[in-house]
Amino acid sequence: MKVLAVASEIYPLVKTGGLADVVGALPAALAAEGVETRTLVPGYPAVLAALDASEAILALDLFGRPGQLRAARAGALELFVIDAPDLYGRGGNIYSGPDGWDWPDNAFRFAALGQVAARIGAGEIAGFVPDVVHAHDWQAALAPAYLHYGGGRRPGTVVTIHNLAFQGQFPPSLVGPLGFPPAAYAMDGLEYYGSLGFLKAGLRFADRITTVSPTYAREIAAPGGGMGFDGLLRSRRADLSGILNGLDTEVWNPATDRRLAATYDATRLPLRHLNKQEVQRRLGLRQNSFALLFGVVTRLTWQKGMDLLAQMLDALPDGSQLALLGAGEPALEQAFAAAAAARPGEIGVHLGYDETLAHLMQGGCDALLVPSRFEPCGLTQLCALRYGAIPVVARVGGLADTVIDANPMALAANVATGLQFAPNDPGALRYAVARAAELFRERSAWSAMQRNAMAASVGWQAPAARYAELYRSVVRRD
Ligand code: ADP
């Protein structure tokens, strides 16, 4: 089985979010399922610089801009790279310019991705004729539409939604310049609320639609959760499913993690206190191994519920501490910096993106707060499970699917791995942290929960098996 994955980012070459992690991790996990994956990505400078070997295989004319398709390898990743300096040869963020606004030619930059994917899917590259084209997020989502209107060979097609908040909407005047017939601009085609919708096109034309957790799949097909797409998603409910993301369990392994002050496993939990000390030291918190240390590792945004957290800081349980690592909206950064200044030793804040500190916090915090308003899957709570930092999560999306709440039955059966709360408001969050504090006082129950958490299956094996099954279901036999 050959699969062409199509995405605008791939770890470790270029990453702005969880999408890159998924796209980077799936090929190796799928190989174990007998699936050979090649991934088509734009040739940003960071991608071209990371290639171990590459060869030009096709000259491209991308809406009047010249380019080359290169077959390439980077580490264990087998890639197709669109080398088109006019579209991708620029510094800074891959989606936006130095002024913070989206690049003005994003429609062309990512239509090119979909169009080249469709050409490979149609069989133009003799050495790799895919059975399935798997497009990730709006940037790749025109691939099934180009295949549909191209009228040639049709591989099976899958579109995966990593975050429905990003939809790729552009002026309808681009329908022609992007190579579609005028009739394609219709409700049953590319039209989306008066715009040309990239994600809309993918959701309309893909054989199957997946998203990154079963609960998020239900939420986005419900009125109010679909961000404009719930009607379309309901009409395609039979083709919509949720497959959880996995974690790279080698990168995230507390037994070998060099970023920790002390490595440990489920049989040596007391060693975690050395990491806790280091977190307390680095964030200016009082050295106290008995304090319940809550951690937060996140983008500071509305989606992540950080305004809710900011509102309930005064209600943190007595004797507990908060360590926050995050970057994002300036108003939230200021609110947390002010809280840390007002309560030194109790609230510690590190503003910025810091991979090492993220690992250390998972290895040292007692609990990890994730009060997201919506969460397609979420990776931080998976890291927390693996590191025995008890996740305290809003009952939404992938958070609901990955954490077993410490209700009395779950505690009695010794299967709890964390705490869930709903609805997501400051009151429920306050109640959840109070419940956590109560459980934390019962040391043996807390340690049992940590061991359950660390034993939870969070790797890529199970998700990869589900993707392989899905691919098999869309392979065309004609
Ligand atoms: P999203 O992709 O929506 O930001 P996820 O939970 O799916 O959320 O993935 C976020 C990943 O990025 C996690 O691995 C998390 O540890 C990491 N992360 C988020 N913010 C920071 C930060 N400020 N410093 C270091 N790592 C971070």
Side-chain angles (χ1 to χ4, degrees), residues 4-6 40 82 111-123 130 133 135 140 142-144 146-147 155:
L4 178 72
V6 191
L40 174 70
I82 305 174
L113 185 64
Q115 193 184 52
V116 174
R119 290 180 63 177
I120 299 171
V133 172
L142 282 187
Y146 280 117
L147 280 163

Side-chain angles (χ1 to χ4, degrees), residues 15-19 21 162-163 166 245 247 252 296-301 303-304 324-328 350-359 362 368 370 372 374-383 399:
K15 163 173 168 169
T16 74
L19 163 68
D21 291 315
H162 295 264
N163 188 336
F166 303 109
N245 288 337
L247 193 64
W252 292 96
V296 178
V297 181
T298 187
R299 292 185 286 119
L300 294 176
T301 64
Q303 180 203 332
K304 299 292 178 181
L324 180 138
L325 166 62
H350 183 102
L351 297 177
Y353 190 91
D354 187 328
E355 219 44 74
T356 298
L357 187 54
H359 283 241
Q362 298 286 7
L368 193 91
V370 195
S372 305
F374 68 93
E375 193 63 78
C377 177
L379 279 180
T380 52
Q381 86 281 12
L382 299 181
C383 305
L399 301 174

Side-chain angles (χ1 to χ4, degrees), residues 294-343:
F294 288 105
V296 178
V297 181
T298 187
R299 292 185 286 119
L300 294 176
T301 64
W302 182 88
Q303 180 203 332
K304 299 292 178 181
M306 285 298 112
D307 52 319
L308 302 173
L309 178 65
Q311 284 171 49
M312 59 72 70
L313 291 177
D314 289 338
L316 282 175
D318 284 345
S320 65
Q321 299 179 333
L322 178 74
L324 180 138
L325 166 62
E329 290 166 16
L332 288 169
E333 293 196 350
Q334 281 158 22
F336 286 110
R343 290 161 66 186

